[in-house]
Amino acid sequence: QLETLEQEEQECLELRPHPTEKRTHIVSHQHGMTVTKTLQEGQAEPQCQSFCYSRARLRGLLLEGASLLLLRVLARRQTMPPDLVFPAMDTEGDLCTSSY
């Protein structure tokens, strides 16, 4: 039983004159998961947005770390089950599906 407790992602674009930094923080809690997105462009004030997903909506969720582990297991077994699809999160923190 593997479960993602917390995940942090950071992207930086070094474009002059306005470098951009984007962070996504995902944390698991009793009722589901909270996603906090922060965007900072140049010297402007960071823009922050936070939202939650219930445990019911996240059932079977496969985040980045778990996805890498699954890919390693599949490569080791040298087999791929047909129609392998999991709930996932895109780079914006929205729910989507991940197909292998």
Coordinates of all heavy atoms in Angstrom, one line a residue:
Q1 N 0.9 -1.2 0.0 CA 0.0 0.0 0.0 C 0.9 1.2 0.0 O 1.4 1.6 1.0 CB -0.9 0.0 1.2 CG -1.9 1.1 1.4 CD -3.1 1.0 0.4 OE1 -3.3 -0.1 -0.1 NE2 -3.7 2.1 0.2
L2 N 1.1 1.8 -1.2 CA 1.9 3.0 -1.3 C 1.0 4.2 -1.4 O 0.0 4.2 -2.0 CB 2.8 3.0 -2.5 CG 3.9 1.9 -2.5 CD1 4.6 1.9 -3.9 CD2 4.8 2.1 -1.4
E3 N 1.4 5.3 -0.7 CA 0.6 6.5 -0.7 C 1.5 7.7 -0.7 O 2.4 7.8 0.0 CB -0.3 6.5 0.5 CG -1.2 7.8 0.7 CD -2.0 7.8 1.9 OE1 -2.1 6.7 2.7 OE2 -2.7 8.8 2.2
T4 N 1.2 8.7 -1.5 CA 1.9 9.9 -1.6 C 1.5 10.8 -0.4 O 0.3 11.1 -0.3 CB 1.7 10.7 -2.9 OG1 2.2 9.9 -4.0 CG2 2.5 12.0 -2.9
L5 N 2.4 11.2 0.5 CA 2.1 12.0 1.6 C 2.3 13.5 1.3 O 1.5 14.4 1.7 CB 2.9 11.6 2.8 CG 2.7 10.2 3.3 CD1 3.7 9.9 4.5 CD2 1.3 9.9 3.7
E6 N 3.3 13.8 0.5 CA 3.6 15.2 0.2 C 4.5 15.2 -1.1 O 5.3 14.3 -1.3 CB 4.3 15.8 1.3 CG 4.5 17.3 1.2 CD 5.0 17.9 2.5 OE1 5.3 17.2 3.5 OE2 5.2 19.2 2.5
Q7 N 4.2 16.2 -1.9 CA 5.0 16.3 -3.2 C 5.2 17.8 -3.4 O 4.3 18.6 -3.3 CB 4.3 15.7 -4.3 CG 5.0 15.8 -5.6 CD 4.4 14.9 -6.7 OE1 4.2 13.7 -6.6 NE2 4.0 15.6 -7.8
E8 N 6.4 18.2 -3.9 CA 6.8 19.6 -4.2 C 7.4 19.6 -5.6 O 8.3 18.8 -5.9 CB 7.8 20.1 -3.2 CG 8.2 21.5 -3.4 CD 7.3 22.5 -2.7 OE1 6.7 22.2 -1.7 OE2 7.3 23.6 -3.2
E9 N 6.9 20.5 -6.4 CA 7.4 20.7 -7.8 C 7.8 22.1 -7.9 O 7.1 23.0 -7.4 CB 6.4 20.3 -8.8 CG 6.0 18.8 -8.9 CD 5.0 18.5 -9.9 OE1 4.8 19.3 -10.8 OE2 4.4 17.4 -9.8
Q10 N 8.9 22.4 -8.7 CA 9.3 23.7 -8.9 C 9.8 23.9 -10.3 O 10.6 23.0 -10.8 CB 10.5 24.1 -7.9 CG 11.0 25.5 -8.1 CD 12.1 25.9 -7.1 OE1 12.3 25.1 -6.2 NE2 12.7 27.0 -7.3
E11 N 9.4 24.9 -11.0 CA 9.8 25.2 -12.4 C 10.3 26.6 -12.4 O 9.7 27.5 -11.8 CB 8.7 25.1 -13.4 CG 8.1 23.7 -13.5 CD 6.9 23.7 -14.5 OE1 7.0 24.4 -15.5 OE2 5.9 23.1 -14.1
C12 N 11.5 26.8 -13.0 CA 12.0 28.2 -13.2 C 12.3 28.5 -14.6 O 13.0 27.7 -15.3 CB 13.3 28.3 -12.3 SG 13.1 28.2 -10.6
L13 N 11.9 29.6 -15.1 CA 12.2 30.1 -16.4 C 13.1 31.4 -16.2 O 12.6 32.3 -15.7 CB 11.0 30.4 -17.2 CG 10.4 29.3 -17.9 CD1 9.1 28.9 -17.2 CD2 10.1 29.6 -19.4
E14 N 14.3 31.4 -16.7 CA 15.2 32.5 -16.6 C 15.1 33.4 -17.8 O 16.1 33.5 -18.6 CB 16.6 32.0 -16.4 CG 16.8 31.2 -15.1 CD 16.6 32.1 -13.8 OE1 16.9 33.3 -13.9 OE2 16.2 31.6 -12.8
L15 N 14.0 34.0 -18.0 CA 13.8 34.9 -19.2 C 13.9 36.3 -18.7 O 13.2 36.7 -17.8 CB 12.4 34.7 -19.8 CG 12.1 33.3 -20.3 CD1 10.6 33.2 -20.8 CD2 13.0 33.0 -21.5
R16 N 14.8 37.1 -19.4 CA 14.9 38.5 -19.0 C 13.9 39.3 -19.7 O 13.6 39.0 -20.8 CB 16.4 38.9 -19.3 CG 17.3 38.2 -18.4 CD 18.7 38.8 -18.4 NE 19.5 38.1 -17.5 CZ 20.7 37.6 -17.8 NH1 21.2 37.6 -19.0 NH2 21.4 37.0 -16.9
P17 N 13.4 40.3 -19.1 CA 13.7 40.9 -17.8 C 12.8 40.3 -16.6 O 12.9 40.7 -15.5 CB 13.4 42.4 -17.9 CG 12.3 42.4 -18.9 CD 12.5 41.2 -19.8
H18 N 12.0 39.3 -16.9 CA 11.0 38.8 -15.9 C 11.2 37.3 -15.8 O 10.4 36.5 -16.3 CB 9.6 39.1 -16.3 CG 9.4 40.6 -16.5 ND1 9.3 41.4 -15.5 CD2 9.2 41.3 -17.6 CE1 9.1 42.7 -15.9 NE2 9.0 42.6 -17.2
P19 N 12.1 36.8 -14.9 CA 12.2 35.4 -14.7 C 10.9 35.0 -14.0 O 10.3 35.7 -13.2 CB 13.4 35.3 -13.7 CG 13.6 36.6 -13.2 CD 13.1 37.6 -14.2
T20 N 10.5 33.7 -14.3 CA 9.3 33.2 -13.7 C 9.5 31.9 -12.9 O 10.3 31.1 -13.4 CB 8.3 32.9 -14.9 OG1 8.0 34.1 -15.6 CG2 7.0 32.3 -14.3
E21 N 8.9 31.9 -11.7 CA 9.0 30.7 -10.9 C 7.7 30.2 -10.6 O 6.8 30.9 -10.2 CB 9.8 31.0 -9.6 CG 10.0 29.8 -8.7 CD 10.8 30.1 -7.5 OE1 11.6 31.1 -7.5 OE2 10.7 29.4 -6.5
K22 N 7.5 28.9 -10.8 CA 6.2 28.2 -10.5 C 6.4 27.1 -9.6 O 7.3 26.2 -9.8 CB 5.6 27.7 -11.8 CG 4.3 27.0 -11.7 CD 3.8 26.6 -13.1 CE 2.7 25.7 -13.1 NZ 2.3 25.2 -14.4
R23 N 5.7 27.1 -8.5 CA 5.8 26.0 -7.5 C 4.4 25.3 -7.3 O 3.4 26.0 -7.2 CB 6.2 26.5 -6.1 CG 7.7 27.0 -6.1 CD 8.0 27.5 -4.7 NE 9.3 28.1 -4.7 CZ 10.3 27.5 -4.1 NH1 10.2 26.4 -3.5 NH2 11.5 28.1 -4.2
T24 N 4.4 24.0 -7.1 CA 3.2 23.3 -6.8 C 3.5 22.4 -5.6 O 4.4 21.6 -5.6 CB 2.7 22.4 -8.0 OG1 2.5 23.2 -9.1 CG2 1.4 21.8 -7.6
H25 N 2.7 22.6 -4.5 CA 2.9 21.8 -3.3 C 1.6 21.0 -3.1 O 0.5 21.5 -3.1 CB 3.2 22.7 -2.1 CG 3.4 22.0 -0.9 ND1 2.6 22.0 0.2 CD2 4.4 21.1 -0.5 CE1 3.1 21.3 1.2 NE2 4.2 20.7 0.8
I26 N 1.8 19.7 -3.0 CA 0.6 18.8 -2.8 C 0.9 18.1 -1.4 O 1.9 17.5 -1.2 CB 0.5 17.7 -3.9 CG1 0.4 18.4 -5.2 CG2 -0.6 16.8 -3.7 CD1 0.6 17.5 -6.4
V27 N -0.1 18.1 -0.6 CA 0.0 17.5 0.7 C -1.3 16.7 1.0 O -2.4 17.1 0.8 CB 0.3 18.5 1.9 CG1 -0.8 19.5 2.1 CG2 0.6 17.8 3.2
S28 N -1.1 15.5 1.5 CA -2.2 14.6 1.9 C -2.6 14.9 3.3 O -1.8 15.2 4.2 CB -1.7 13.1 1.8 OG -2.8 12.3 2.1
H29 N -3.9 14.8 3.5 CA -4.5 15.0 4.9 C -5.6 14.0 5.1 O -6.0 13.3 4.1 CB -4.8 16.4 5.2 CG -5.7 17.1 4.1 ND1 -7.0 16.8 4.0 CD2 -5.3 17.9 3.1 CE1 -7.5 17.5 3.0 NE2 -6.5 18.2 2.4
Q30 N -6.3 14.0 6.2 CA -7.3 13.1 6.6 C -8.5 13.1 5.6 O -9.0 12.0 5.3 CB -7.9 13.5 8.0 CG -8.9 12.6 8.5 CD -9.4 13.0 9.8 OE1 -8.9 13.9 10.4 NE2 -10.4 12.3 10.4
H31 N -8.8 14.2 5.0 CA -10.0 14.3 4.1 C -9.6 14.2 2.6 O -10.5 14.2 1.8 CB -10.8 15.6 4.4 CG -11.2 15.7 5.8 ND1 -12.2 14.9 6.4 CD2 -10.8 16.4 6.8 CE1 -12.3 15.1 7.6 NE2 -11.5 16.1 8.0
G32 N -8.4 14.2 2.3 CA -8.0 14.1 0.9 C -6.6 14.8 0.6 O -5.6 14.5 1.3
M33 N -6.5 15.7 -0.3 CA -5.3 16.4 -0.6 C -5.5 17.8 -0.9 O -6.5 18.2 -1.5 CB -4.6 15.8 -1.9 CG -3.9 14.5 -1.7 SD -3.0 14.0 -3.1 CE -1.9 12.9 -2.4
T34 N -4.6 18.6 -0.5 CA -4.6 20.1 -0.8 C -3.5 20.4 -1.8 O -2.3 19.9 -1.6 CB -4.4 20.9 0.5 OG1 -5.5 20.6 1.4 CG2 -4.4 22.4 0.2
V35 N -3.8 21.1 -2.8 CA -2.8 21.5 -3.8 C -2.7 23.0 -3.7 O -3.7 23.8 -3.7 CB -3.3 21.2 -5.3 CG1 -2.4 21.7 -6.3 CG2 -3.6 19.7 -5.4
T36 N -1.5 23.5 -3.6 CA -1.2 24.9 -3.5 C -0.2 25.3 -4.6 O 0.9 24.7 -4.7 CB -0.5 25.3 -2.1 OG1 -1.4 24.9 -1.1 CG2 -0.3 26.8 -2.0
K37 N -0.7 26.2 -5.5 CA 0.1 26.7 -6.6 C 0.6 28.1 -6.4 O -0.2 28.9 -5.9 CB -0.7 26.6 -7.9 CG -1.2 25.2 -8.3 CD -1.9 25.1 -9.6 CE -2.6 26.3 -10.0 NZ -3.3 26.1 -11.3
T38 N 1.9 28.4 -6.6 CA 2.4 29.7 -6.5 C 3.1 30.1 -7.7 O 3.9 29.3 -8.3 CB 3.4 29.8 -5.3 OG1 2.7 29.3 -4.1 CG2 3.9 31.2 -5.0
L39 N 2.8 31.3 -8.2 CA 3.5 31.8 -9.5 C 4.1 33.1 -9.2 O 3.4 34.0 -8.6 CB 2.4 31.9 -10.6 CG 2.9 32.5 -11.9 CD1 3.9 31.5 -12.6 CD2 1.8 32.8 -12.8
Q40 N 5.3 33.3 -9.5 CA 6.0 34.6 -9.3 C 6.7 35.0 -10.6 O 7.5 34.2 -11.1 CB 7.0 34.6 -8.1 CG 7.6 36.0 -7.9 CD 8.4 36.1 -6.6 OE1 8.5 35.1 -5.9 NE2 8.8 37.3 -6.3
E41 N 6.3 36.2 -11.1 CA 6.9 36.7 -12.3 C 7.7 37.9 -12.0 O 7.2 38.9 -11.5 CB 5.8 37.0 -13.3 CG 5.1 35.8 -13.8 CD 4.0 36.1 -14.7 OE1 2.9 36.7 -14.3 OE2 4.1 35.7 -15.9
G42 N 9.0 37.8 -12.2 CA 9.9 38.9 -11.9 C 9.9 39.3 -10.4 O 9.8 38.5 -9.5
Q43 N 9.8 40.6 -10.2 CA 9.7 41.2 -8.8 C 8.3 41.3 -8.3 O 8.1 41.8 -7.2 CB 10.5 42.5 -8.8 CG 11.9 42.4 -9.1 CD 12.7 41.4 -8.2 OE1 12.5 41.4 -7.0 NE2 13.5 40.6 -8.8
A44 N 7.3 40.9 -9.1 CA 5.9 41.1 -8.7 C 5.6 40.2 -7.5 O 6.3 39.2 -7.2 CB 5.0 40.7 -9.9
E45 N 4.5 40.6 -6.8 CA 4.1 39.7 -5.7 C 3.7 38.3 -6.2 O 3.0 38.2 -7.2 CB 2.8 40.4 -5.0 CG 3.2 41.6 -4.1 CD 3.9 41.2 -2.9 OE1 3.5 40.2 -2.2 OE2 4.9 41.9 -2.6
P46 N 4.0 37.3 -5.4 CA 3.6 36.0 -5.8 C 2.1 35.8 -5.8 O 1.4 36.4 -5.0 CB 4.2 35.1 -4.7 CG 5.3 35.9 -4.1 CD 4.8 37.3 -4.2
Q47 N 1.6 35.1 -6.8 CA 0.2 34.8 -6.9 C 0.0 33.4 -6.4 O 0.7 32.4 -6.8 CB -0.3 34.9 -8.3 CG -0.2 36.2 -8.9 CD -0.5 36.2 -10.4 OE1 -1.0 35.3 -11.0 NE2 -0.2 37.3 -11.1
C48 N -0.9 33.2 -5.4 CA -1.1 31.9 -4.7 C -2.5 31.4 -4.9 O -3.4 32.2 -4.7 CB -0.7 32.0 -3.3 SG -0.5 30.4 -2.5
Q49 N -2.7 30.2 -5.2 CA -4.0 29.6 -5.3 C -4.0 28.2 -4.6 O -3.0 27.4 -4.8 CB -4.4 29.4 -6.8 CG -5.7 28.8 -7.1 CD -5.9 28.6 -8.6 OE1 -5.0 28.7 -9.4 NE2 -7.2 28.3 -8.9
S50 N -5.0 27.9 -3.9 CA -5.0 26.6 -3.2 C -6.4 26.0 -3.3 O -7.4 26.7 -3.3 CB -4.7 26.9 -1.7 OG -4.6 25.6 -1.0
F51 N -6.4 24.7 -3.5 CA -7.7 23.9 -3.6 C -7.5 22.5 -3.1 O -6.4 22.0 -3.0 CB -8.3 24.0 -5.0 CG -7.3 23.6 -6.1 CD1 -7.1 22.3 -6.5 CD2 -6.4 24.6 -6.6 CE1 -6.2 22.0 -7.5 CE2 -5.5 24.3 -7.6 CZ -5.4 22.9 -8.1
C52 N -8.6 21.9 -2.8 CA -8.6 20.5 -2.2 C -9.4 19.5 -3.0 O -10.3 19.9 -3.7 CB -9.3 20.6 -0.8 SG -8.4 21.6 0.4
Y53 N -9.0 18.3 -2.9 CA -9.7 17.2 -3.5 C -10.0 16.2 -2.4 O -9.2 15.9 -1.5 CB -8.8 16.4 -4.6 CG -8.5 17.2 -5.8 CD1 -7.2 17.7 -6.1 CD2 -9.5 17.5 -6.7 CE1 -7.0 18.4 -7.2 CE2 -9.3 18.2 -7.9 CZ -8.0 18.7 -8.1 OH -7.7 19.4 -9.2
S54 N -11.2 15.6 -2.5 CA -11.7 14.6 -1.5 C -11.0 13.3 -1.8 O -10.5 13.0 -2.9 CB -13.2 14.5 -1.5 OG -13.6 13.8 -2.8
R55 N -10.9 12.5 -0.7 CA -10.4 11.1 -0.9 C -11.1 10.3 -1.9 O -10.5 9.6 -2.7 CB -10.4 10.4 0.5 CG -9.4 10.9 1.4 CD -8.6 9.7 2.0 NE -7.6 10.2 2.9 CZ -6.3 10.2 2.6 NH1 -5.9 9.8 1.5 NH2 -5.5 10.7 3.5
A56 N -12.4 10.5 -2.0 CA -13.2 9.7 -3.0 C -12.8 10.1 -4.4 O -12.7 9.2 -5.3 CB -14.7 10.1 -2.8
R57 N -12.5 11.3 -4.7 CA -12.1 11.7 -6.1 C -10.6 11.3 -6.4 O -10.3 11.2 -7.6 CB -12.1 13.2 -6.2 CG -13.6 13.7 -6.2 CD -13.8 15.1 -6.8 NE -13.3 15.2 -8.2 CZ -13.0 16.3 -8.8 NH1 -13.0 17.4 -8.1 NH2 -12.6 16.4 -10.0
L58 N -9.9 11.0 -5.3 CA -8.4 10.7 -5.5 C -8.2 9.2 -5.5 O -7.0 8.7 -5.6 CB -7.6 11.3 -4.4 CG -7.6 12.8 -4.4 CD1 -6.9 13.4 -3.2 CD2 -7.1 13.4 -5.7
R59 N -9.2 8.4 -5.4 CA -9.0 6.9 -5.3 C -8.2 6.4 -6.5 O -8.5 6.6 -7.6 CB -10.4 6.2 -5.2 CG -10.3 4.7 -5.0 CD -11.6 4.1 -4.6 NE -11.5 2.7 -4.5 CZ -11.2 2.1 -3.3 NH1 -11.0 2.9 -2.3 NH2 -11.1 0.8 -3.2
G60 N -7.1 5.8 -6.2 CA -6.2 5.2 -7.2 C -5.2 6.2 -7.8 O -4.5 5.9 -8.8
L61 N -5.2 7.4 -7.2 CA -4.3 8.5 -7.8 C -2.9 8.1 -7.9 O -2.3 7.5 -7.0 CB -4.4 9.8 -6.9 CG -3.6 10.9 -7.4 CD1 -4.2 11.5 -8.7 CD2 -3.6 12.0 -6.3
L62 N -2.3 8.4 -9.0 CA -0.9 8.1 -9.3 C -0.1 9.4 -9.5 O -0.2 9.9 -10.6 CB -0.8 7.1 -10.5 CG 0.6 6.4 -10.7 CD1 0.9 5.5 -9.6 CD2 0.6 5.7 -12.0
L63 N 0.6 9.8 -8.5 CA 1.4 11.1 -8.7 C 2.8 10.7 -9.2 O 3.1 9.6 -9.5 CB 1.5 11.8 -7.3 CG 0.2 12.4 -6.8 CD1 0.4 13.1 -5.5 CD2 -0.3 13.4 -7.8
E64 N 3.6 11.7 -9.5 CA 4.9 11.6 -10.2 C 5.8 10.5 -9.6 O 6.3 9.7 -10.3 CB 5.6 12.9 -10.2 CG 6.8 12.9 -11.1 CD 7.5 14.3 -11.1 OE1 7.1 15.2 -10.4 OE2 8.4 14.4 -11.9
G65 N 6.0 10.5 -8.3 CA 6.9 9.6 -7.6 C 6.4 8.1 -7.8 O 7.2 7.2 -8.1
A66 N 5.1 7.9 -7.6 CA 4.5 6.6 -7.7 C 4.6 6.1 -9.2 O 4.8 4.9 -9.5 CB 3.1 6.6 -7.2
S67 N 4.4 7.1 -10.1 CA 4.5 6.7 -11.5 C 5.9 6.2 -11.9 O 6.0 5.2 -12.6 CB 4.1 8.0 -12.4 OG 4.2 7.7 -13.7
L68 N 6.9 6.9 -11.4 CA 8.3 6.4 -11.7 C 8.5 5.0 -11.1 O 9.1 4.2 -11.8 CB 9.3 7.4 -11.1 CG 9.4 8.8 -11.8 CD1 10.3 9.7 -11.0 CD2 9.9 8.6 -13.2
L69 N 8.0 4.8 -9.9 CA 8.2 3.5 -9.3 C 7.4 2.4 -10.1 O 8.0 1.3 -10.4 CB 7.6 3.5 -7.9 CG 7.8 2.2 -7.1 CD1 9.2 1.8 -7.0 CD2 7.2 2.4 -5.7
L70 N 6.2 2.7 -10.6 CA 5.5 1.8 -11.4 C 6.2 1.5 -12.7 O 6.3 0.3 -13.1 CB 4.1 2.3 -11.7 CG 3.2 1.5 -12.6 CD1 2.9 0.1 -12.0 CD2 1.9 2.2 -12.9
L71 N 6.7 2.5 -13.3 CA 7.5 2.3 -14.6 C 8.7 1.4 -14.4 O 9.0 0.5 -15.2 CB 7.9 3.6 -15.2 CG 6.8 4.4 -15.8 CD1 7.3 5.8 -16.2 CD2 6.1 3.7 -17.0
R72 N 9.3 1.5 -13.3 CA 10.5 0.7 -13.0 C 10.1 -0.8 -12.7 O 10.7 -1.7 -13.2 CB 11.3 1.2 -11.8 CG 12.0 2.4 -12.1 CD 12.7 3.0 -10.9 NE 13.4 4.2 -11.2 CZ 14.0 4.9 -10.3 NH1 14.0 4.6 -9.0 NH2 14.6 6.0 -10.7
V73 N 9.0 -1.0 -12.0 CA 8.5 -2.3 -11.8 C 8.1 -3.0 -13.1 O 8.4 -4.2 -13.4 CB 7.3 -2.3 -10.8 CG1 6.6 -3.7 -10.8 CG2 7.7 -2.0 -9.4
L74 N 7.4 -2.3 -14.0 CA 6.9 -2.8 -15.3 C 8.1 -3.1 -16.2 O 8.2 -4.2 -16.8 CB 6.0 -1.8 -16.0 CG 4.6 -1.6 -15.3 CD1 3.9 -0.5 -16.0 CD2 3.8 -2.9 -15.3
A75 N 9.2 -2.3 -16.1 CA 10.4 -2.5 -16.9 C 11.1 -3.8 -16.4 O 11.6 -4.6 -17.2 CB 11.3 -1.3 -16.9
R76 N 11.1 -3.9 -15.1 CA 11.8 -5.1 -14.5 C 11.1 -6.4 -14.8 O 11.7 -7.4 -15.1 CB 11.8 -4.9 -13.0 CG 12.5 -6.0 -12.2 CD 13.9 -5.6 -12.0 NE 14.5 -6.5 -11.0 CZ 15.7 -7.0 -11.1 NH1 16.5 -6.6 -12.1 NH2 16.1 -7.8 -10.2
R77 N 9.8 -6.3 -14.8 CA 9.0 -7.5 -15.2 C 8.9 -7.7 -16.7 O 8.5 -8.8 -17.1 CB 7.5 -7.4 -14.6 CG 7.5 -7.4 -13.1 CD 6.1 -7.4 -12.7 NE 6.0 -7.5 -11.2 CZ 4.9 -7.4 -10.5 NH1 3.7 -7.3 -11.1 NH2 4.9 -7.5 -9.2
Q78 N 9.3 -6.7 -17.5 CA 9.2 -6.8 -18.9 C 7.8 -7.2 -19.4 O 7.7 -8.0 -20.3 CB 10.3 -7.7 -19.5 CG 11.7 -7.3 -19.1 CD 12.7 -8.1 -19.7 OE1 12.5 -9.2 -20.2 NE2 14.0 -7.7 -19.7
T79 N 6.8 -6.6 -18.8 CA 5.4 -6.8 -19.2 C 4.6 -5.6 -19.0 O 5.0 -4.7 -18.2 CB 4.8 -8.0 -18.4 OG1 3.5 -8.2 -18.8 CG2 4.7 -7.6 -16.9
M80 N 3.6 -5.4 -19.8 CA 2.7 -4.3 -19.8 C 1.3 -4.8 -19.8 O 0.8 -5.2 -20.9 CB 3.0 -3.3 -20.9 CG 2.1 -2.1 -20.9 SD 2.4 -1.0 -19.5 CE 3.9 -0.2 -20.0
P81 N 0.5 -4.6 -18.7 CA -0.9 -5.0 -18.8 C -1.6 -4.1 -19.8 O -1.3 -2.9 -19.9 CB -1.4 -4.7 -17.3 CG -0.2 -4.7 -16.5 CD 0.9 -4.2 -17.4
P82 N -2.6 -4.7 -20.5 CA -3.3 -3.9 -21.5 C -4.2 -2.9 -20.8 O -4.7 -3.1 -19.7 CB -4.2 -4.9 -22.2 CG -4.3 -6.1 -21.2 CD -3.1 -6.1 -20.4
D83 N -4.4 -1.7 -21.4 CA -5.3 -0.7 -20.9 C -5.0 -0.2 -19.5 O -5.9 -0.2 -18.6 CB -6.8 -1.1 -21.0 CG -7.1 -1.4 -22.5 OD1 -6.6 -0.7 -23.4 OD2 -7.9 -2.4 -22.7
L84 N -3.8 0.0 -19.2 CA -3.4 0.4 -17.8 C -3.6 2.0 -17.7 O -2.9 2.7 -18.3 CB -1.9 0.1 -17.6 CG -1.4 0.2 -16.2 CD1 -2.2 -0.7 -15.2 CD2 0.1 -0.3 -16.1
V85 N -4.6 2.4 -17.0 CA -5.0 3.8 -16.8 C -5.2 4.1 -15.3 O -5.8 3.3 -14.6 CB -6.3 4.1 -17.6 CG1 -6.7 5.5 -17.4 CG2 -6.1 3.7 -19.1
F86 N -4.6 5.2 -14.9 CA -4.7 5.7 -13.5 C -5.2 7.1 -13.5 O -4.8 7.9 -14.4 CB -3.4 5.6 -12.8 CG -2.9 4.2 -12.6 CD1 -2.0 3.6 -13.4 CD2 -3.3 3.5 -11.4 CE1 -1.6 2.3 -13.2 CE2 -2.9 2.2 -11.2 CZ -2.0 1.6 -12.1
P87 N -5.9 7.5 -12.4 CA -6.1 8.9 -12.2 C -4.8 9.6 -11.9 O -3.9 9.0 -11.2 CB -7.0 9.0 -11.0 CG -7.5 7.6 -10.7 CD -6.5 6.7 -11.4
A88 N -4.6 10.8 -12.4 CA -3.3 11.5 -12.2 C -3.6 13.0 -12.0 O -4.8 13.4 -12.1 CB -2.4 11.3 -13.4
M89 N -2.6 13.8 -11.9 CA -2.7 15.3 -11.8 C -1.8 15.9 -12.8 O -0.6 15.4 -13.0 CB -2.2 15.8 -10.4 CG -3.3 16.3 -9.6 SD -2.7 16.9 -8.0 CE -3.8 16.0 -6.9
D90 N -2.3 16.8 -13.6 CA -1.5 17.5 -14.6 C -0.6 18.6 -13.9 O -0.7 18.8 -12.7 CB -2.3 18.0 -15.7 CG -3.3 19.2 -15.3 OD1 -3.1 19.7 -14.2 OD2 -4.2 19.5 -16.1
T91 N 0.1 19.3 -14.7 CA 1.1 20.3 -14.2 C 0.3 21.5 -13.5 O 1.0 22.2 -12.8 CB 2.0 20.9 -15.3 OG1 1.2 21.4 -16.3 CG2 2.9 19.8 -15.9
E92 N -0.9 21.6 -13.8 CA -1.7 22.7 -13.2 C -2.4 22.3 -11.9 O -3.0 23.0 -11.2 CB -2.8 23.3 -14.1 CG -2.2 23.9 -15.4 CD -1.2 25.0 -15.1 OE1 -1.6 25.9 -14.2 OE2 -0.1 25.1 -15.6
G93 N -2.3 21.0 -11.6 CA -2.9 20.4 -10.3 C -4.3 20.0 -10.6 O -5.0 19.6 -9.7
D94 N -4.7 19.9 -11.9 CA -6.1 19.4 -12.2 C -6.1 17.9 -12.4 O -5.1 17.3 -12.8 CB -6.6 20.1 -13.5 CG -6.7 21.6 -13.4 OD1 -7.2 22.0 -12.3 OD2 -6.3 22.3 -14.3
L95 N -7.2 17.2 -12.0 CA -7.2 15.8 -12.2 C -7.4 15.4 -13.7 O -8.0 16.1 -14.4 CB -8.4 15.2 -11.4 CG -8.3 15.3 -9.9 CD1 -9.6 14.8 -9.2 CD2 -7.1 14.6 -9.4
C96 N -6.7 14.4 -14.1 CA -6.7 13.9 -15.4 C -6.5 12.4 -15.4 O -6.5 11.8 -14.3 CB -5.6 14.6 -16.3 SG -4.0 14.3 -15.7
T97 N -6.2 11.7 -16.5 CA -5.8 10.3 -16.4 C -4.4 10.1 -17.0 O -4.0 10.9 -17.9 CB -6.8 9.5 -17.2 OG1 -6.9 9.9 -18.6 CG2 -8.2 9.5 -16.6
S98 N -3.8 9.1 -16.6 CA -2.5 8.7 -17.1 C -2.5 7.3 -17.7 O -2.9 6.4 -17.0 CB -1.4 8.8 -16.0 OG -0.1 8.5 -16.5
S99 N -2.2 7.2 -19.0 CA -2.3 5.9 -19.6 C -0.9 5.4 -19.9 O 0.0 6.1 -20.3 CB -3.1 6.0 -21.0 OG -4.3 6.5 -20.8
Y100 N -0.7 4.0 -19.8 CA 0.6 3.4 -20.0 C 0.5 2.4 -21.1 O -0.5 1.9 -21.4 CB 1.1 2.7 -18.7 CG 1.4 3.7 -17.6 CD1 0.4 4.2 -16.8 CD2 2.7 4.2 -17.4 CE1 0.7 5.1 -15.8 CE2 3.0 5.1 -16.4 CZ 2.0 5.5 -15.6 OH 2.3 6.4 -14.6

